[in-house]
mmCIF file of all heavy atoms in Angstrom:
data_model
loop_
_atom_site.group_PDB
_atom_site.id
_atom_site.type_symbol
_atom_site.label_atom_id
_atom_site.label_comp_id
_atom_site.label_asym_id
_atom_site.label_seq_id
_atom_site.Cartn_x
_atom_site.Cartn_y
_atom_site.Cartn_z
ATOM 1 N N ARG V 188 106.066 174.967 95.332
ATOM 2 C CA ARG V 188 105.917 173.512 95.477
ATOM 3 C C ARG V 188 107.281 172.843 95.557
ATOM 4 O O ARG V 188 107.480 171.906 96.331
ATOM 5 C CB ARG V 188 105.121 172.928 94.305
ATOM 6 C CG ARG V 188 103.675 173.318 94.333
ATOM 7 C CD ARG V 188 102.850 172.722 93.244
ATOM 8 N NE ARG V 188 103.603 171.960 92.250
ATOM 9 C CZ ARG V 188 103.083 171.449 91.172
ATOM 10 N NH1 ARG V 188 101.804 171.590 90.918
ATOM 11 N NH2 ARG V 188 103.810 170.777 90.316
ATOM 12 N N TYR V 210 117.013 177.825 75.984
ATOM 13 C CA TYR V 210 118.180 177.057 76.403
ATOM 14 C C TYR V 210 119.042 176.725 75.206
ATOM 15 O O TYR V 210 118.549 176.526 74.091
ATOM 16 C CB TYR V 210 117.746 175.748 77.076
ATOM 17 C CG TYR V 210 116.863 175.981 78.265
ATOM 18 C CD1 TYR V 210 115.498 175.735 78.186
ATOM 19 C CD2 TYR V 210 117.380 176.470 79.457
ATOM 20 C CE1 TYR V 210 114.676 175.956 79.272
ATOM 21 C CE2 TYR V 210 116.563 176.696 80.554
ATOM 22 C CZ TYR V 210 115.210 176.439 80.452
ATOM 23 O OH TYR V 210 114.385 176.670 81.523
ATOM 24 N N ASP V 216 121.120 167.282 80.717
ATOM 25 C CA ASP V 216 121.368 165.846 80.780
ATOM 26 C C ASP V 216 120.066 165.076 80.571
ATOM 27 O O ASP V 216 120.077 163.937 80.130
ATOM 28 C CB ASP V 216 121.962 165.444 82.127
ATOM 29 C CG ASP V 216 123.331 166.048 82.361
ATOM 30 O OD1 ASP V 216 124.137 166.085 81.404
ATOM 31 O OD2 ASP V 216 123.614 166.474 83.493
ATOM 32 N N LEU V 250 108.328 161.452 79.934
ATOM 33 C CA LEU V 250 107.073 162.189 79.908
ATOM 34 C C LEU V 250 105.953 161.357 80.495
ATOM 35 O O LEU V 250 105.941 160.140 80.390
ATOM 36 C CB LEU V 250 106.725 162.718 78.525
ATOM 37 C CG LEU V 250 106.438 161.819 77.366
ATOM 38 C CD1 LEU V 250 104.932 161.608 77.215
ATOM 39 C CD2 LEU V 250 106.929 162.494 76.103
ATOM 40 N N GLY V 292 114.234 159.045 64.606
ATOM 41 C CA GLY V 292 115.633 158.646 64.470
ATOM 42 C C GLY V 292 116.549 159.328 65.468
ATOM 43 O O GLY V 292 117.747 159.074 65.491
ATOM 44 N N ALA V 333 113.026 157.776 77.026
ATOM 45 C CA ALA V 333 113.849 157.605 75.823
ATOM 46 C C ALA V 333 115.250 158.126 76.102
ATOM 47 O O ALA V 333 115.488 158.895 77.040
ATOM 48 C CB ALA V 333 113.235 158.372 74.646
#
Side-chain angles (χ1 to χ4, degrees):
R188 290 183 354 185
Y210 302 105
D216 296 319
L250 64 96

